[in-house]
Amino acid sequence: MVMKENSQAKVKDMLNTMARNGWRVTEQRRTLAQIFADHDGYLSPKDVYDQMSVYYPSMSLDTVYRNLRMLSEMGVLEHFYFMDGGLKFKENCTTHHHHHLICVNCEKTLPFDYCPMDHGLVLPGNYKVLRHRFEVYGLCEGCQALEKEETLE
C-alpha cells in the first residue's frame, strides 16, 4: 500500500510540474508519468513507446521522444547516455542537488553529493552557467566482483 501511495505522490508531483510549465495534463501524460513512477530503473524511449502504445496504439515514437525531451528539460525526468544502451530516462530526484556514478555494465546508478561547481570552477569567456550535469561512468562493486570471478575461472 505504501508503494502505491508513493507512486501516486510521484505522479502528482510530475503532473504539477507539467502544469506549472504550461502543459495541458492529458490522459497520455498521466500515463507517461505513471510509467516512470512505477519503474525504479531506466527506460529507453523505445521502452516507453512500447508501454504507451498498449494504451494509445496511434501514438508515434516521435511523440514519445518529444515528450521525454521536454520532460527532461523541465526537470521531471533525468536523462543519461549509456555506452551500450543509448539514451535512457528516469524520474528525477528533486529533493536535493546531486550527481551520479553509473555502472557501464549493469546500469546501477549511485547518487553522490559532491559537485565540482561548488569548488570555484573558473570558466573562460565570462560564461554564465544555467544548469549542469556531472556523471562518472565506471564499474560498481558487484560488477567488479563478477569480473574478478570470471578472470579466476
Side-chain angles (χ1 to χ4, degrees), residues 97-99 114-118 121 129-134:
H97 180 75
H98 65 279
H99 296 285
Y114 174 82
C115 180
M117 300 298 285
D118 294 340
L121 183 64
V129 176
L130 301 176
R131 62 182 173 270
H132 67 278
R133 298 178 56 82
F134 183 68

Side-chain angles (χ1 to χ4, degrees), residues 1-45:
M1 188 67 164
V2 172
M3 190 70 148
K4 186 172 182 159
E5 289 173 14
N6 190 28
S7 174
Q8 291 308 310
K10 289 177 180 182
V11 169
K12 185 178 178 183
D13 287 346
M14 286 187 256
L15 296 176
N16 287 339
T17 302
M18 290 180 207
R20 276 194 312 274
N21 281 274
W23 275 29
R24 281 187 313 115
V25 177
T26 63
E27 267 318 299
Q28 289 89 346
R29 290 180 177 148
R30 279 184 206 284
T31 303
L32 185 60
Q34 190 68 55
I35 287 169
F36 280 98
D38 290 343
H39 191 78
D40 284 333
Y42 297 90
L43 294 168
S44 71

